[in-house]
């Protein structure tokens, strides 16, 4: 059994018979953070939507946590409290390890780019990610994607917040992940270029994927303009809709 629970934004939970892995937890109440844009997109406080009603029952089963980077829409203060209270083991980038330990998290494993390590009876590898086109990527700091192989489960690529790069292409072409989770909200600040893949690169990612793509990081943060409805329309126009799942918050995909 393998289930992917879409919680909100980039927050998902990967559940097998043995493990329940929380990814990039943003668990705070609706509107607890300020808007990330004021002019380009409507200035609504973040998160723009509440957690799904079934979230806490799933959180109670969490056995591990993966964090791709330090931005508050991927690890907020409410999530930090949850992880500390429950002493959840955390895997992250080696570049974030010290910062997360200083916040009190139980970091048990850190990864470099292209480094493979044992993980829950299987294997995990750190995948380079580039958070934005052009200059803005320098401002966004380091980000780590993950390629995961768990025993008797489909391989999973968590691309994290990234544009389409040679590293992303390598994973899709050589590793051929059976499931890829793609940040698809086309996020953009009031200035600078997109922070994650634009529509052209989302299409490119899906075309080059041999497995199922799960689109998330949508309709929960005010600087992500691409909606589920619009993405579905674009995929249909490009005859790619059968390759992509676009779960609603609170929805689970059984694989």
């Amino acid at each position: 059994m393998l289930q992917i629970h879409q919680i909100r934004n980039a927050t998902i939970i990967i559940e097998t018979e043995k493990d329940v892995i929380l990814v990039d937890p943003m668990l705070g109440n609706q509107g607890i953070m300020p808007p990330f844009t004021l002019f380009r997109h409507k200035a609504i406080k973040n998160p723009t939507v509440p957690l799904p009603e079934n979230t806490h029952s799933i959180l109670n089963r969490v056995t591990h946590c993966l964090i791709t980077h330090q931005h508050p829409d991927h690890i907020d203060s409410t999530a930090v409290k949850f992880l500390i209270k429950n002493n959840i083991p955390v895997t992250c980038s080696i570049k974030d390890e010290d910062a997360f330990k200083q916040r009190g998290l139980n970091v048990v494993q850190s990864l470099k780019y292209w480094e493979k390590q044992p993980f829950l009876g299987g294997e995990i590898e750190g995948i380079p990610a580039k958070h934005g086109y052009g200059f803005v990527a320098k401002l966004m700091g380091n980000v780590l994607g993950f390629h995961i192989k768990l025993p008797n489960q489909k391989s999973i690529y968590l691309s994290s917040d990234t544009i389409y790069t040679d590293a992303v292409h390598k994973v899709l072409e050589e590793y051929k992940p059976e499931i890829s989770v793609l940040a698809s909200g086309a996020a953009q600040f009031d200035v600078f270029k997109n922070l994650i893949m634009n529509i052209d690169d989302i299409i490119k990612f899906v075309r080059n994927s041999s497995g199922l793509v799960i689109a998330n990081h949508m309709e929960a943060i005010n600087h992500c303009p691409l909606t589920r409805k619009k993405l579905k329309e674009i995929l249909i126009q490009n005859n790619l809709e059968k390759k992509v799942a676009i779960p609603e918050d609170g929805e689970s995909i059984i694989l």
Side-chain angles (χ1 to χ4, degrees):
M1 179 201 76
L2 178 64
Q3 288 190 72
I4 306 287
H5 304 280
Q6 170 61 30
I7 305 301
R8 179 179 60 185
N9 197 50
T11 308
I12 63 170
I13 293 176
I14 302 167
E15 183 172 8
T16 69
E17 292 91 346
K18 179 184 173 185
D19 302 296
V20 183
I21 307 164
L22 175 63
V23 180
D24 282 351
M26 179 180 66
L27 304 179
N29 292 333
Q30 181 178 0
I32 201 169
M33 290 187 283
F36 292 164
T37 62
L38 299 175
F39 311 111
R40 177 171 267 154
H41 308 299
K42 193 172 181 180
I44 307 171
K45 289 185 177 181
N46 293 308
T48 60
V49 295
L51 284 172
E53 291 183 1
N54 64 340
T55 300
H56 293 290
S57 64
I58 305 173
L59 285 174
N60 288 336
R61 304 198 298 271
V62 166
T63 59
H64 202 93
C65 182
L66 298 174
I67 307 175
T68 62
H69 60 301
Q70 295 187 47
H71 291 171
D73 59 327
H74 292 256
I75 174 72
D76 64 3
S77 58
T78 305
V80 169
K81 292 175 183 175
F82 167 82
L83 295 171
I84 293 172
K85 178 182 178 182
N86 295 281
N87 196 33
I88 303 295
V90 170
T91 296
C92 65
S93 166
I94 195 167
K95 296 179 181 179
D96 294 331
E97 181 177 7
D98 288 345
F100 286 148
K101 284 183 175 179
Q102 287 174 13
R103 295 177 75 177
L105 298 186
N106 178 24
V107 178
V108 298
Q109 183 177 36
S110 61
L111 293 163
K112 301 175 182 177
Y113 290 158
W114 302 121
E115 180 181 15
K116 296 179 182 178
Q117 291 186 20
F119 180 70
L120 303 179
E123 181 181 84
I124 190 168
E125 181 173 358
I127 306 297
K130 186 178 181 182
H131 199 335
Y133 297 89
F135 176 74
V136 73
K138 294 182 179 179
L139 302 179
M140 291 295 97
N142 63 280
V143 184
L144 185 72
F146 296 104
H147 184 257
I148 305 165
K149 295 179 180 178
L150 295 175
N152 305 311
Q153 302 292 347
K154 294 182 177 181
S155 58
I156 302 172
Y157 173 35
L158 306 176
S159 67
S160 186
D161 283 9
T162 188
I163 62 174
Y164 198 103
T165 63
D166 289 343
V168 171
H169 188 75
K170 176 182 177 178
V171 172
L172 296 179
E173 290 290 312
E174 297 182 15
Y175 293 25
K176 299 188 182 302
E178 293 167 277
I179 302 162
S180 296
V181 180
L182 177 64
S184 303
Q188 196 169 13
F189 288 145
D190 286 326
V191 294
F192 304 119
K193 298 178 181 179
N194 284 71
L195 302 171
I196 53 180
M197 291 188 199
N198 58 29
I199 290 171
D200 288 343
D201 275 349
I202 291 171
I203 292 170
K204 184 177 180 180
F205 186 101
V206 175
R207 286 195 195 282
N208 290 334
S209 298
S210 54
L212 176 70
V213 177
I214 299 176
N216 75 350
H217 206 307
M218 307 175 78
E219 299 182 18
I221 297 294
N222 87 299
H223 70 329
C224 292
L226 185 58
T227 64
R228 291 175 171 96
K229 180 180 178 182
K230 182 61 177 177
L231 177 58
K232 187 173 182 180
E233 291 173 356
I234 292 166
L235 293 169
I236 290 171
Q237 291 167 6
N238 288 272
N239 297 313
L240 294 171
E241 69 274 14
K242 293 181 180 179
K243 296 186 69 175
V244 182
I246 313 174
E248 298 290 336
D249 292 347
E251 183 178 347
S252 297
I253 299 173
I254 300 175
L255 299 154

PDB file of all heavy atoms in Angstrom, residues 104-132:
ATOM      1  N   GLY A 104      15.309  23.384  17.516  1.00  0.00           N
ATOM      2  CA  GLY A 104      14.869  22.309  18.396  1.00  0.00           C
ATOM      3  C   GLY A 104      14.412  21.043  17.697  1.00  0.00           C
ATOM      4  O   GLY A 104      13.903  20.127  18.357  1.00  0.00           O
ATOM      5  N   LEU A 105      14.591  20.955  16.372  1.00  0.00           N
ATOM      6  CA  LEU A 105      14.126  19.778  15.644  1.00  0.00           C
ATOM      7  C   LEU A 105      15.090  18.601  15.836  1.00  0.00           C
ATOM      8  O   LEU A 105      16.302  18.781  16.009  1.00  0.00           O
ATOM      9  CB  LEU A 105      13.986  20.095  14.152  1.00  0.00           C
ATOM     10  CG  LEU A 105      12.967  21.183  13.779  1.00  0.00           C
ATOM     11  CD1 LEU A 105      12.841  21.286  12.268  1.00  0.00           C
ATOM     12  CD2 LEU A 105      11.610  20.925  14.415  1.00  0.00           C
ATOM     13  N   ASN A 106      14.530  17.417  15.749  1.00  0.00           N
ATOM     14  CA  ASN A 106      15.287  16.176  15.913  1.00  0.00           C
ATOM     15  C   ASN A 106      15.822  15.720  14.545  1.00  0.00           C
ATOM     16  O   ASN A 106      15.315  14.788  13.932  1.00  0.00           O
ATOM     17  CB  ASN A 106      14.381  15.102  16.527  1.00  0.00           C
ATOM     18  CG  ASN A 106      15.092  13.770  16.693  1.00  0.00           C
ATOM     19  OD1 ASN A 106      16.317  13.720  16.788  1.00  0.00           O
ATOM     20  ND2 ASN A 106      14.323  12.690  16.723  1.00  0.00           N
ATOM     21  N   VAL A 107      16.852  16.421  14.079  1.00  0.00           N
ATOM     22  CA  VAL A 107      17.443  16.086  12.777  1.00  0.00           C
ATOM     23  C   VAL A 107      18.305  14.834  12.931  1.00  0.00           C
ATOM     24  O   VAL A 107      19.319  14.848  13.636  1.00  0.00           O
ATOM     25  CB  VAL A 107      18.281  17.249  12.224  1.00  0.00           C
ATOM     26  CG1 VAL A 107      18.922  16.856  10.893  1.00  0.00           C
ATOM     27  CG2 VAL A 107      17.424  18.497  12.052  1.00  0.00           C
ATOM     28  N   VAL A 108      17.902  13.764  12.279  1.00  0.00           N
ATOM     29  CA  VAL A 108      18.626  12.496  12.376  1.00  0.00           C
ATOM     30  C   VAL A 108      19.424  12.187  11.121  1.00  0.00           C
ATOM     31  O   VAL A 108      20.233  11.264  11.111  1.00  0.00           O
ATOM     32  CB  VAL A 108      17.653  11.334  12.669  1.00  0.00           C
ATOM     33  CG1 VAL A 108      16.953  11.539  14.000  1.00  0.00           C
ATOM     34  CG2 VAL A 108      16.632  11.171  11.534  1.00  0.00           C
ATOM     35  N   GLN A 109      19.184  12.973  10.049  1.00  0.00           N
ATOM     36  CA  GLN A 109      19.820  12.669   8.770  1.00  0.00           C
ATOM     37  C   GLN A 109      19.856  13.934   7.919  1.00  0.00           C
ATOM     38  O   GLN A 109      18.869  14.659   7.824  1.00  0.00           O
ATOM     39  CB  GLN A 109      19.006  11.588   8.042  1.00  0.00           C
ATOM     40  CG  GLN A 109      19.566  11.105   6.728  1.00  0.00           C
ATOM     41  CD  GLN A 109      18.704   9.991   6.149  1.00  0.00           C
ATOM     42  OE1 GLN A 109      17.480  10.006   6.282  1.00  0.00           O
ATOM     43  NE2 GLN A 109      19.327   9.011   5.526  1.00  0.00           N
ATOM     44  N   SER A 110      21.010  14.204   7.320  1.00  0.00           N
ATOM     45  CA  SER A 110      21.128  15.338   6.401  1.00  0.00           C
ATOM     46  C   SER A 110      21.856  14.877   5.151  1.00  0.00           C
ATOM     47  O   SER A 110      22.727  13.998   5.201  1.00  0.00           O
ATOM     48  CB  SER A 110      21.849  16.514   7.063  1.00  0.00           C
ATOM     49  OG  SER A 110      23.160  16.141   7.452  1.00  0.00           O
ATOM     50  N   LEU A 111      21.497  15.486   4.039  1.00  0.00           N
ATOM     51  CA  LEU A 111      21.990  15.035   2.737  1.00  0.00           C
ATOM     52  C   LEU A 111      22.629  16.169   1.952  1.00  0.00           C
ATOM     53  O   LEU A 111      22.187  17.320   2.018  1.00  0.00           O
ATOM     54  CB  LEU A 111      20.825  14.480   1.904  1.00  0.00           C
ATOM     55  CG  LEU A 111      20.155  13.193   2.382  1.00  0.00           C
ATOM     56  CD1 LEU A 111      18.809  13.022   1.704  1.00  0.00           C
ATOM     57  CD2 LEU A 111      21.054  12.000   2.088  1.00  0.00           C
ATOM     58  N   LYS A 112      23.652  15.824   1.189  1.00  0.00           N
ATOM     59  CA  LYS A 112      24.216  16.716   0.185  1.00  0.00           C
ATOM     60  C   LYS A 112      23.543  16.429  -1.156  1.00  0.00           C
ATOM     61  O   LYS A 112      22.847  15.431  -1.324  1.00  0.00           O
ATOM     62  CB  LYS A 112      25.726  16.478   0.054  1.00  0.00           C
ATOM     63  CG  LYS A 112      26.509  16.697   1.329  1.00  0.00           C
ATOM     64  CD  LYS A 112      27.976  16.324   1.121  1.00  0.00           C
ATOM     65  CE  LYS A 112      28.772  16.481   2.403  1.00  0.00           C
ATOM     66  NZ  LYS A 112      30.182  16.044   2.231  1.00  0.00           N
ATOM     67  N   TYR A 113      23.753  17.313  -2.130  1.00  0.00           N
ATOM     68  CA  TYR A 113      23.278  17.048  -3.491  1.00  0.00           C
ATOM     69  C   TYR A 113      23.897  15.759  -4.026  1.00  0.00           C
ATOM     70  O   TYR A 113      25.105  15.532  -3.883  1.00  0.00           O
ATOM     71  CB  TYR A 113      23.639  18.199  -4.423  1.00  0.00           C
ATOM     72  CG  TYR A 113      22.880  19.480  -4.186  1.00  0.00           C
ATOM     73  CD1 TYR A 113      23.402  20.699  -4.613  1.00  0.00           C
ATOM     74  CD2 TYR A 113      21.637  19.493  -3.548  1.00  0.00           C
ATOM     75  CE1 TYR A 113      22.716  21.890  -4.424  1.00  0.00           C
ATOM     76  CE2 TYR A 113      20.950  20.677  -3.349  1.00  0.00           C
ATOM     77  CZ  TYR A 113      21.488  21.865  -3.786  1.00  0.00           C
ATOM     78  OH  TYR A 113      20.806  23.045  -3.588  1.00  0.00           O
ATOM     79  N   TRP A 114      23.089  14.920  -4.615  1.00  0.00           N
ATOM     80  CA  TRP A 114      23.479  13.662  -5.245  1.00  0.00           C
ATOM     81  C   TRP A 114      24.052  12.652  -4.251  1.00  0.00           C
ATOM     82  O   TRP A 114      24.712  11.704  -4.641  1.00  0.00           O
ATOM     83  CB  TRP A 114      24.482  13.882  -6.390  1.00  0.00           C
ATOM     84  CG  TRP A 114      23.991  14.775  -7.476  1.00  0.00           C
ATOM     85  CD1 TRP A 114      24.541  15.937  -7.899  1.00  0.00           C
ATOM     86  CD2 TRP A 114      22.829  14.563  -8.307  1.00  0.00           C
ATOM     87  NE1 TRP A 114      23.811  16.491  -8.925  1.00  0.00           N
ATOM     88  CE2 TRP A 114      22.754  15.659  -9.201  1.00  0.00           C
ATOM     89  CE3 TRP A 114      21.857  13.565  -8.388  1.00  0.00           C
ATOM     90  CZ2 TRP A 114      21.746  15.784 -10.146  1.00  0.00           C
ATOM     91  CZ3 TRP A 114      20.846  13.694  -9.326  1.00  0.00           C
ATOM     92  CH2 TRP A 114      20.802  14.783 -10.191  1.00  0.00           C
ATOM     93  N   GLU A 115      23.779  12.845  -2.984  1.00  0.00           N
ATOM     94  CA  GLU A 115      24.229  11.881  -1.980  1.00  0.00           C
ATOM     95  C   GLU A 115      23.113  10.893  -1.665  1.00  0.00           C
ATOM     96  O   GLU A 115      21.984  11.295  -1.371  1.00  0.00           O
ATOM     97  CB  GLU A 115      24.646  12.595  -0.689  1.00  0.00           C
ATOM     98  CG  GLU A 115      25.137  11.628   0.392  1.00  0.00           C
ATOM     99  CD  GLU A 115      25.522  12.333   1.674  1.00  0.00           C
ATOM    100  OE1 GLU A 115      25.163  13.508   1.865  1.00  0.00           O
ATOM    101  OE2 GLU A 115      26.204  11.696   2.493  1.00  0.00           O
ATOM    102  N   LYS A 116      23.447   9.607  -1.712  1.00  0.00           N
ATOM    103  CA  LYS A 116      22.502   8.549  -1.365  1.00  0.00           C
ATOM    104  C   LYS A 116      22.785   8.050   0.037  1.00  0.00           C
ATOM    105  O   LYS A 116      23.946   7.898   0.419  1.00  0.00           O
ATOM    106  CB  LYS A 116      22.617   7.379  -2.354  1.00  0.00           C
ATOM    107  CG  LYS A 116      22.248   7.720  -3.785  1.00  0.00           C
ATOM    108  CD  LYS A 116      22.419   6.508  -4.691  1.00  0.00           C
ATOM    109  CE  LYS A 116      22.090   6.850  -6.135  1.00  0.00           C
ATOM    110  NZ  LYS A 116      22.288   5.693  -7.042  1.00  0.00           N
ATOM    111  N   GLN A 117      21.712   7.809   0.798  1.00  0.00           N
ATOM    112  CA  GLN A 117      21.845   7.261   2.142  1.00  0.00           C
ATOM    113  C   GLN A 117      20.716   6.266   2.401  1.00  0.00           C
ATOM    114  O   GLN A 117      19.648   6.349   1.780  1.00  0.00           O
ATOM    115  CB  GLN A 117      21.783   8.377   3.197  1.00  0.00           C
ATOM    116  CG  GLN A 117      22.961   9.320   3.211  1.00  0.00           C
ATOM    117  CD  GLN A 117      22.891  10.302   4.383  1.00  0.00           C
ATOM    118  OE1 GLN A 117      22.202  10.069   5.367  1.00  0.00           O
ATOM    119  NE2 GLN A 117      23.616  11.409   4.265  1.00  0.00           N
ATOM    120  N   PRO A 118      20.929   5.318   3.317  1.00  0.00           N
ATOM    121  CA  PRO A 118      19.820   4.438   3.719  1.00  0.00           C
ATOM    122  C   PRO A 118      18.676   5.247   4.314  1.00  0.00           C
ATOM    123  O   PRO A 118      18.906   6.265   4.974  1.00  0.00           O
ATOM    124  CB  PRO A 118      20.465   3.532   4.775  1.00  0.00           C
ATOM    125  CG  PRO A 118      21.937   3.607   4.507  1.00  0.00           C
ATOM    126  CD  PRO A 118      22.195   4.993   4.003  1.00  0.00           C
ATOM    127  N   PHE A 119      17.445   4.769   4.079  1.00  0.00           N
ATOM    128  CA  PHE A 119      16.277   5.508   4.563  1.00  0.00           C
ATOM    129  C   PHE A 119      15.104   4.556   4.748  1.00  0.00           C
ATOM    130  O   PHE A 119      14.598   3.987   3.782  1.00  0.00           O
ATOM    131  CB  PHE A 119      15.907   6.612   3.565  1.00  0.00           C
ATOM    132  CG  PHE A 119      14.715   7.442   3.967  1.00  0.00           C
ATOM    133  CD1 PHE A 119      14.785   8.321   5.041  1.00  0.00           C
ATOM    134  CD2 PHE A 119      13.526   7.357   3.256  1.00  0.00           C
ATOM    135  CE1 PHE A 119      13.688   9.100   5.400  1.00  0.00           C
ATOM    136  CE2 PHE A 119      12.427   8.128   3.610  1.00  0.00           C
ATOM    137  CZ  PHE A 119      12.511   9.005   4.684  1.00  0.00           C
ATOM    138  N   LEU A 120      14.716   4.340   5.996  1.00  0.00           N
ATOM    139  CA  LEU A 120      13.529   3.543   6.332  1.00  0.00           C
ATOM    140  C   LEU A 120      13.520   2.185   5.627  1.00  0.00           C
ATOM    141  O   LEU A 120      12.496   1.741   5.108  1.00  0.00           O
ATOM    142  CB  LEU A 120      12.258   4.333   5.999  1.00  0.00           C
ATOM    143  CG  LEU A 120      12.126   5.708   6.678  1.00  0.00           C
ATOM    144  CD1 LEU A 120      10.849   6.390   6.246  1.00  0.00           C
ATOM    145  CD2 LEU A 120      12.190   5.582   8.196  1.00  0.00           C
ATOM    146  N   GLY A 121      14.667   1.545   5.605  1.00  0.00           N
ATOM    147  CA  GLY A 121      14.796   0.244   4.961  1.00  0.00           C
ATOM    148  C   GLY A 121      15.041   0.303   3.476  1.00  0.00           C
ATOM    149  O   GLY A 121      15.252  -0.730   2.823  1.00  0.00           O
ATOM    150  N   GLY A 122      15.040   1.501   2.915  1.00  0.00           N
ATOM    151  CA  GLY A 122      15.297   1.693   1.497  1.00  0.00           C
ATOM    152  C   GLY A 122      16.431   2.687   1.302  1.00  0.00           C
ATOM    153  O   GLY A 122      17.460   2.612   1.968  1.00  0.00           O
ATOM    154  N   GLU A 123      16.205   3.663   0.401  1.00  0.00           N
ATOM    155  CA  GLU A 123      17.264   4.603   0.055  1.00  0.00           C
ATOM    156  C   GLU A 123      16.666   5.969  -0.255  1.00  0.00           C
ATOM    157  O   GLU A 123      15.570   6.075  -0.800  1.00  0.00           O
ATOM    158  CB  GLU A 123      18.016   4.077  -1.172  1.00  0.00           C
ATOM    159  CG  GLU A 123      19.172   4.932  -1.646  1.00  0.00           C
ATOM    160  CD  GLU A 123      19.834   4.351  -2.889  1.00  0.00           C
ATOM    161  OE1 GLU A 123      19.330   4.619  -4.014  1.00  0.00           O
ATOM    162  OE2 GLU A 123      20.820   3.616  -2.740  1.00  0.00           O
ATOM    163  N   ILE A 124      17.393   7.022   0.119  1.00  0.00           N
ATOM    164  CA  ILE A 124      17.005   8.386  -0.218  1.00  0.00           C
ATOM    165  C   ILE A 124      18.215   9.100  -0.799  1.00  0.00           C
ATOM    166  O   ILE A 124      19.355   8.836  -0.405  1.00  0.00           O
ATOM    167  CB  ILE A 124      16.457   9.136   1.018  1.00  0.00           C
ATOM    168  CG1 ILE A 124      15.817  10.465   0.621  1.00  0.00           C
ATOM    169  CG2 ILE A 124      17.544   9.342   2.073  1.00  0.00           C
ATOM    170  CD1 ILE A 124      15.003  11.106   1.743  1.00  0.00           C
ATOM    171  N   GLU A 125      17.971   9.985  -1.760  1.00  0.00           N
ATOM    172  CA  GLU A 125      19.055  10.732  -2.394  1.00  0.00           C
ATOM    173  C   GLU A 125      18.664  12.211  -2.459  1.00  0.00           C
ATOM    174  O   GLU A 125      17.529  12.555  -2.779  1.00  0.00           O
ATOM    175  CB  GLU A 125      19.314  10.207  -3.811  1.00  0.00           C
ATOM    176  CG  GLU A 125      20.443  10.925  -4.523  1.00  0.00           C
ATOM    177  CD  GLU A 125      20.801  10.290  -5.866  1.00  0.00           C
ATOM    178  OE1 GLU A 125      20.197   9.263  -6.222  1.00  0.00           O
ATOM    179  OE2 GLU A 125      21.689  10.825  -6.552  1.00  0.00           O
ATOM    180  N   GLY A 126      19.624  13.060  -2.156  1.00  0.00           N
ATOM    181  CA  GLY A 126      19.400  14.499  -2.271  1.00  0.00           C
ATOM    182  C   GLY A 126      19.547  14.953  -3.712  1.00  0.00           C
ATOM    183  O   GLY A 126      20.540  14.644  -4.370  1.00  0.00           O
ATOM    184  N   ILE A 127      18.554  15.687  -4.205  1.00  0.00           N
ATOM    185  CA  ILE A 127      18.542  16.147  -5.595  1.00  0.00           C
ATOM    186  C   ILE A 127      18.630  17.673  -5.631  1.00  0.00           C
ATOM    187  O   ILE A 127      17.865  18.358  -4.950  1.00  0.00           O
ATOM    188  CB  ILE A 127      17.249  15.692  -6.316  1.00  0.00           C
ATOM    189  CG1 ILE A 127      17.064  14.169  -6.191  1.00  0.00           C
ATOM    190  CG2 ILE A 127      17.280  16.138  -7.773  1.00  0.00           C
ATOM    191  CD1 ILE A 127      18.146  13.341  -6.848  1.00  0.00           C
ATOM    192  N   PRO A 128      19.552  18.232  -6.421  1.00  0.00           N
ATOM    193  CA  PRO A 128      19.649  19.690  -6.498  1.00  0.00           C
ATOM    194  C   PRO A 128      18.345  20.322  -6.968  1.00  0.00           C
ATOM    195  O   PRO A 128      17.641  19.783  -7.829  1.00  0.00           O
ATOM    196  CB  PRO A 128      20.765  19.913  -7.536  1.00  0.00           C
ATOM    197  CG  PRO A 128      21.548  18.647  -7.544  1.00  0.00           C
ATOM    198  CD  PRO A 128      20.570  17.558  -7.255  1.00  0.00           C
ATOM    199  N   ALA A 129      18.024  21.475  -6.402  1.00  0.00           N
ATOM    200  CA  ALA A 129      16.868  22.262  -6.805  1.00  0.00           C
ATOM    201  C   ALA A 129      17.296  23.721  -6.900  1.00  0.00           C
ATOM    202  O   ALA A 129      18.143  24.175  -6.128  1.00  0.00           O
ATOM    203  CB  ALA A 129      15.726  22.096  -5.808  1.00  0.00           C
ATOM    204  N   LYS A 130      16.705  24.443  -7.842  1.00  0.00           N
ATOM    205  CA  LYS A 130      17.018  25.862  -8.041  1.00  0.00           C
ATOM    206  C   LYS A 130      15.723  26.657  -7.929  1.00  0.00           C
ATOM    207  O   LYS A 130      14.843  26.553  -8.788  1.00  0.00           O
ATOM    208  CB  LYS A 130      17.685  26.085  -9.406  1.00  0.00           C
ATOM    209  CG  LYS A 130      18.159  27.516  -9.620  1.00  0.00           C
ATOM    210  CD  LYS A 130      18.862  27.656 -10.958  1.00  0.00           C
ATOM    211  CE  LYS A 130      19.367  29.093 -11.157  1.00  0.00           C
ATOM    212  NZ  LYS A 130      20.011  29.259 -12.484  1.00  0.00           N
ATOM    213  N   HIS A 131      15.626  27.460  -6.888  1.00  0.00           N
ATOM    214  CA  HIS A 131      14.374  28.117  -6.498  1.00  0.00           C
ATOM    215  C   HIS A 131      14.217  29.448  -7.230  1.00  0.00           C
ATOM    216  O   HIS A 131      14.284  30.513  -6.624  1.00  0.00           O
ATOM    217  CB  HIS A 131      14.375  28.315  -4.978  1.00  0.00           C
ATOM    218  CG  HIS A 131      13.029  28.543  -4.375  1.00  0.00           C
ATOM    219  ND1 HIS A 131      11.964  29.070  -5.070  1.00  0.00           N
ATOM    220  CD2 HIS A 131      12.569  28.329  -3.111  1.00  0.00           C
ATOM    221  CE1 HIS A 131      10.919  29.164  -4.260  1.00  0.00           C
ATOM    222  NE2 HIS A 131      11.264  28.715  -3.070  1.00  0.00           N
ATOM    223  N   GLY A 132      14.003  29.392  -8.550  1.00  0.00           N
ATOM    224  CA  GLY A 132      13.711  30.609  -9.301  1.00  0.00           C
ATOM    225  C   GLY A 132      14.557  30.774 -10.539  1.00  0.00           C
ATOM    226  O   GLY A 132      15.637  30.196 -10.674  1.00  0.00           O
TER     227      GLY A 132
END
